[in-house]
Amino acid sequence: MSNNSVISVISRFLEEYASSTPNKLKVIDAYLLYVMMTGALQFLYCLLVGTFPFNSFLSGFISCVGSFILAVCLRIQINPQNKGKFLSISPERAFADFLFAHTVLHLVVINFIG
Amino acid sequence: CFYAFVEDLCSLNQCKREQRCVFVTFCPNSCQSIPVSNDTRDLLLATVSEDSTASQIHQSVSALSALGLPLASQEVVSALKARISKEDNVLAIILALLTASRLSQQAELGDILEEIEDLAARLDDLGGVYLQFEEGLEATALFVSAAYSLSDHVDMEPPLKEDQVIQLVNSIFSKKSWDSLSEAFSVASAAASLSNNHFHVPVIVSAQGPAAVSHSHPFLRLQVTDVLCQPLSSASVLAESASAVSSKSAVLSQALFTLRDGVFELNFMASQPASGYYQFSVAIAGDSRFVANHVELKVKVSTRVAINNMDLSVVDKDQSIGPKTTRVEYPTKAKASFMADGHQNFAMTFQLVDETTGVELTPHQTFVRLHNQKTGQEVVFVAEPDSKNLYKFELDTAERKTEFDSISGTYALYLMVGDATLENPILWNVADVVLKFLDEEAPGTIQAKTLYVPKPEIPHLFREPEKKPPTAVSNTFTALVLSPFLLLLILWFKLGANISNFTLSPSTILFHIGHAATLGLMYVYWTHLNMFQTLKYLAIIGSLTFLAGNRMLAQKAKWFPLHFLSFGTRLISQI
């Protein structure tokens, strides 16, 4: 029975998601999924083969994690339902911040990747 | 000839006046007979003024007094005082002292005399041993000769204490060769004034040859001289006390040295001192001018040693059989050889005495050397005296097998006796000893201990490269990691990302170019650049992109998904 209820919860969630989420957010969610998968695969590789070279693994993994976090922030800031909380930040401004933060992140990642 | 020379000079008007003065300054008194022209005399007198240097005044005054010409001493004194206050360096004051010693005794030389004390205060004390000016040896030596010549001239004792005189003597005569003729002259001048003045005559006491006496040389000979090494025959030399260094017991007191052939001697052996070192305290009297006339000397008394009662024995370990003792007389060797093995020990006892007095001695070196003639091995032991000064040496083969490397055989036994106070050190082949060791390892050939051969080479271990997975695995994973990107593209396409709504405006194009350039810069940074260069380029590209982006924002074009897409390409860097 619990199996059924879990499946029904999930399917209901997916339905709600597909219908009520604006396109912009779906795009970001797709991106989030991509980042997460990339990070997970990197981690799997590290588990299987070992941490040599450790700095490369770290920089790649941190890049994934950082990108994920920044994208989540962007999603929160863009979401029209949260508009009340971010009165001073327009979506364009949020995106610009997102780009700038990514520049810094990638500078560091490239430096560390070796 | 000298007179003609001087007159020639005086007639040469081109000559500078100083040059003429110099030639006459160091003239002996016999110059007084040389006739001098009025011009020259006036020239010399004119030099005596406040405007000439102290050196010029010294030269003209010396010339005038050597030539026997009259001069006004008081004028000279006032000129000197003025020069001293103007120049105020050590050399000028010394020259003033020398000048003053040429003036008449009625003149007021008190102020100049006080300068001696002021100068003495300027001397630097170096470790309590040396006293000299920082200007150097020459200034110190000249000061000494100037001070004493002026003091003699006015007949007043110079204000120099005995310690200061001793320290000055140490400084002045510290060098054995001199840098310049003037330095050598100053030392000679100081030596002459120190040995020949009315007040202080430093006394130099040194032993003739080594300060050692023995039965064959019983006399302690001392040379007592002044600084110029002229013997002071008028002196009387007294050994106030002599005590042994080790026991501090007095051996001699108030013994007078006798003068023979310019050397003072004392028969020390007559007091029958035991061998060793003695500290002498010697006083030299005879003249109230003597300075440094108390000296401490260390004298060595040597003797000859004799070995008594050398007994060699073989002692049984379980003490069941009594020891067999053989007595050997120096310098003969024992006829039979002695055996030492597991059951028996070899023992040796002897006494070392003074040959003449029979007193027991304990020299510094008493060694017993065992030498294996076949293998060349030698082992040395120390023989120790017991409380009754009887030397004992015992050899137990079981205890000592490591020193011998357990090699049995015949060893020649030598006794070595030596000391600084012994005139006859001894190396005596006493006997042959046959040693037998248990569990002989038969080492074969004996190698000399090689300490200084090259050591075995240590090969360098390079750092092992880390274990890397096979290329196939890493390639697979590279492909795997890139695959989510495809997924992303598919998802975005499904969501209907707006690629078509693309307004071509300059700011948009610029923004895209700037964006792509940033990505390219990241790649180039990875491969070629360093952080500083990257930051430089990034600043340029970033500002352009920012400006273009701002413009775009103002236009509010539907650029959002597209730019997000273009941005996603950044993540290729995660490889």
Side-chain angles (χ1 to χ4, degrees):
Chain A
M1 283 298 126
S2 54
N3 230 5
N4 263 350
S5 50
V6 167
I7 291 174
S8 62
V9 164
I10 291 174
S11 60
R12 175 129 173 92
F13 167 71
L14 284 175
E15 264 178 52
E16 279 271 349
Y17 176 77
S19 54
S20 56
T21 327
N23 222 19
K24 273 197 212 173
L25 295 185
K26 278 194 192 154
V27 166
I28 297 181
D29 288 340
Y31 175 69
L32 284 173
L33 182 67
Y34 154 62
V35 170
M36 195 164 68
M37 279 185 69
T38 314
L41 281 169
Q42 282 190 328
F43 192 66
L44 180 69
Y45 174 78
C46 185
L47 281 179
L48 284 179
V49 173
T51 56
F52 180 78
F54 196 49
N55 58 316
S56 307
F57 160 67
L58 271 185
S59 80
F61 194 66
I62 294 295
S63 164
C64 290
V65 170
S67 304
F68 191 85
I69 293 169
L70 288 174
V72 166
C73 291
L74 181 65
R75 190 184 193 281
I76 292 173
Q77 286 180 339
I78 287 182
N79 201 346
Q81 288 172 336
N82 289 340
K83 210 160 182 186
K85 295 199 186 112
F86 296 104
L87 283 171
S88 58
I89 305 174
S90 64
E92 291 77 23
R93 165 77 197 279
F95 187 61
D97 285 344
F98 172 76
L99 283 182
F100 175 68
H102 257 280
T103 312
V104 173
L105 174 69
H106 278 78
L107 204 60
V108 172
V109 160
I110 298 290
N111 188 31
F112 199 52
I113 205 159
Chain B
C1 285
F2 184 65
Y3 149 71
F5 182 58
V6 167
E7 275 297 324
D8 270 338
L9 278 179
C10 293
S11 64
L12 281 170
N13 285 324
Q14 292 101 327
C15 241
K16 291 207 189 78
R17 56 191 221 187
E18 296 88 48
Q19 288 175 323
R20 294 183 235 184
C21 290
V22 167
F23 288 111
V24 196
T25 302
F26 299 107
C27 208
N29 284 337
S30 55
C31 281
Q32 292 185 5
S33 55
I34 300 177
V36 179
S37 69
N38 280 348
D39 280 337
T40 317
R41 193 197 60 203
D42 291 337
L43 209 60
L44 291 172
L45 284 170
T47 320
V48 177
S49 79
E50 277 181 26
D51 304 314
S52 339
T53 64
S55 152
Q56 285 169 331
I57 300 179
H58 169 59
Q59 282 161 4
S60 18
V61 168
S62 308
L64 285 166
S65 71
L67 290 167
L69 294 170
L71 62 98
S73 297
Q74 210 49 49
E75 265 182 44
V76 179
V77 171
S78 45
L80 283 175
K81 281 203 271 201
R83 286 320 300 177
I84 288 173
S85 49
K86 269 197 222 163
E87 288 181 44
D88 196 37
N89 61 47
V90 166
L91 221 45
I93 304 178
I94 292 174
L95 286 168
L97 294 175
L98 285 170
T99 317
S101 62
R102 296 256 196 170
L103 300 174
S104 121
Q105 284 165 332
Q106 276 78 40
E108 293 252 335
L109 300 171
D111 291 331
I112 307 218
L113 205 59
E114 278 170 13
E115 294 295 335
I116 299 181
E117 199 165 352
D118 290 341
L119 273 185
R122 285 205 209 181
L123 288 159
D124 293 325
D125 185 338
L126 301 171
V129 177
Y130 299 102
L131 200 63
Q132 61 182 55
F133 285 116
E134 65 179 11
E135 282 86 354
L137 177 62
E138 203 177 321
T140 317
L142 282 175
F143 163 65
V144 166
S145 62
Y148 281 103
S149 74
L150 183 58
S151 306
D152 278 355
H153 188 65
V154 299
D155 203 22
M156 274 180 67
E157 188 174 350
L160 293 169
K161 299 197 224 32
E162 187 166 333
D163 310 335
Q164 288 178 309
V165 176
I166 296 174
Q167 288 175 340
L168 281 168
V169 167
N170 284 341
S171 311
I172 294 172
F173 302 105
S174 54
K175 277 167 94 162
K176 284 195 163 40
S177 68
W178 297 276
D179 300 327
S180 63
L181 194 55
S182 58
E183 203 178 26
F185 163 73
S186 65
V187 171
S189 170
S193 45
L194 280 172
S195 49
N196 208 4
N197 66 73
H198 300 156
F199 303 102
H200 302 142
V201 174
V203 172
I204 314 282
V205 179
S206 57
Q208 193 183 48
V213 294
S214 62
H215 286 287
S216 43
H217 299 97
F219 284 96
L220 176 65
R221 293 198 165 86
L222 294 180
Q223 280 178 315
V224 178
T225 63
D226 62 13
V227 179
L228 283 174
C229 285
Q230 292 161 341
L232 298 169
S233 329
S234 62
S236 70
V237 183
L238 182 76
E240 284 179 345
S241 72
S243 53
V245 167
S246 46
S247 59
K248 307 263 190 300
S249 57
V251 173
L252 205 61
S253 144
Q254 308 292 325
L256 200 61
F257 281 71
T258 49
L259 176 62
R260 196 159 68 123
D261 296 332
V263 177
F264 289 89
E265 59 180 33
L266 175 72
N267 188 345
F268 188 36
M269 288 311 280
S271 347
Q272 300 189 330
S275 66
Y277 286 92
Y278 291 86
Q279 191 76 8
F280 267 71
S281 174
V282 178
I284 297 107
D287 194 326
S288 55
R289 295 176 304 165
F290 286 160
V291 164
N293 51 352
H294 271 90
V295 240
E296 301 276 315
L297 273 179
K298 202 158 166 188
V299 180
K300 179 169 88 169
V301 176
S302 342
T303 182
R304 295 177 62 85
V305 70
I307 308 180
N308 282 356
N309 308 334
M310 169 64 87
D311 290 328
L312 305 170
S313 50
V314 172
V315 181
D316 213 57
K317 272 207 192 148
D318 14 329
Q319 316 244 307
S320 53
I321 315 166
K324 293 171 287 218
T325 316
T326 316
R327 173 153 293 191
V328 193
E329 291 294 327
Y330 176 73
T332 56
K333 184 170 158 174
K335 289 188 196 55
S337 59
F338 295 82
M339 168 90 81
D341 56 24
H343 315 291
Q344 299 157 316
N345 289 351
F346 170 77
M348 191 164 90
T349 60
F350 57 93
Q351 266 186 320
L352 295 171
V353 296
D354 189 328
E355 212 175 56
T356 27
T357 61
V359 171
E360 284 148 1
L361 294 175
T362 48
H364 286 159
Q365 299 165 334
T366 44
F367 301 135
V368 176
R369 172 175 172 250
L370 287 140
H371 181 225
N372 188 333
Q373 275 128 348
K374 258 193 291 183
T375 61
Q377 249 187 322
E378 88 175 1
V379 186
V380 183
F381 298 100
V382 179
E384 308 250 328
D386 64 9
S387 50
K388 294 202 205 69
N389 285 341
L390 183 71
Y391 279 88
K392 276 205 180 94
F393 169 69
E394 228 181 89
L395 183 62
D396 185 348
T397 48
E399 267 179 41
R400 299 280 186 204
K401 62 178 183 188
T402 40
E403 275 96 336
F404 288 94
D405 280 339
S406 299
I407 296 171
S408 308
T410 310
Y411 286 80
L413 187 107
Y414 291 86
L415 175 68
M416 303 199 291
V417 178
D419 191 87
T421 57
L422 288 184
E423 288 186 322
N424 59 335
I426 290 175
L427 176 66
W428 178 23
N429 186 356
V430 184
D432 284 330
V433 182
V434 179
L435 297 177
K436 273 216 178 64
F437 291 95
L438 305 169
D439 13 286
E440 182 169 344
E441 280 118 28
T445 49
I446 310 224
Q447 289 154 330
K449 285 204 192 341
T450 47
L451 294 171
Y452 302 110
V453 290
K455 293 224 166 34
E457 194 176 326
I458 307 170
H460 179 73
L461 270 178
F462 285 97
R463 191 169 146 214
E464 307 276 337
E466 302 250 357
K467 261 185 58 187
K468 281 194 281 204
T471 336
V473 177
S474 38
N475 283 346
T476 318
F477 265 94
T478 312
L480 262 181
V481 162
L482 284 176
S483 57
F485 185 61
L486 288 169
L487 177 68
L488 181 70
L489 287 176
I490 295 168
L491 280 174
W492 274 356
F493 189 68
K494 271 184 70 182
L495 288 169
N498 277 349
I499 306 173
S500 44
N501 263 1
F502 189 36
T503 47
L504 271 166
S505 64
S507 46
T508 324
I509 296 173
L510 203 58
F511 175 76
H512 279 290
I513 291 172
H515 201 82
T518 321
L519 291 179
L521 180 66
M522 287 293 145
Y523 177 73
V524 177
Y525 177 30
W526 185 34
T527 48
H528 292 115
L529 302 173
N530 62 38
M531 180 63 98
F532 300 106
Q533 292 165 315
T534 316
L535 283 178
K536 194 172 59 175
Y537 293 131
L538 190 63
I540 303 166
I541 299 172
S543 46
L544 282 173
T545 318
F546 175 71
L547 287 171
N550 242 5
R551 276 286 208 76
M552 268 186 353
L553 282 174
Q555 289 168 9
K556 284 209 182 218
K558 283 202 174 93
W559 47 266
F560 180 73
L562 175 63
H563 297 303
F564 202 68
L565 179 74
S566 72
F567 180 73
T569 58
R570 281 183 166 212
L571 299 174
I572 298 170
S573 63
Q574 287 177 36
I575 300 166

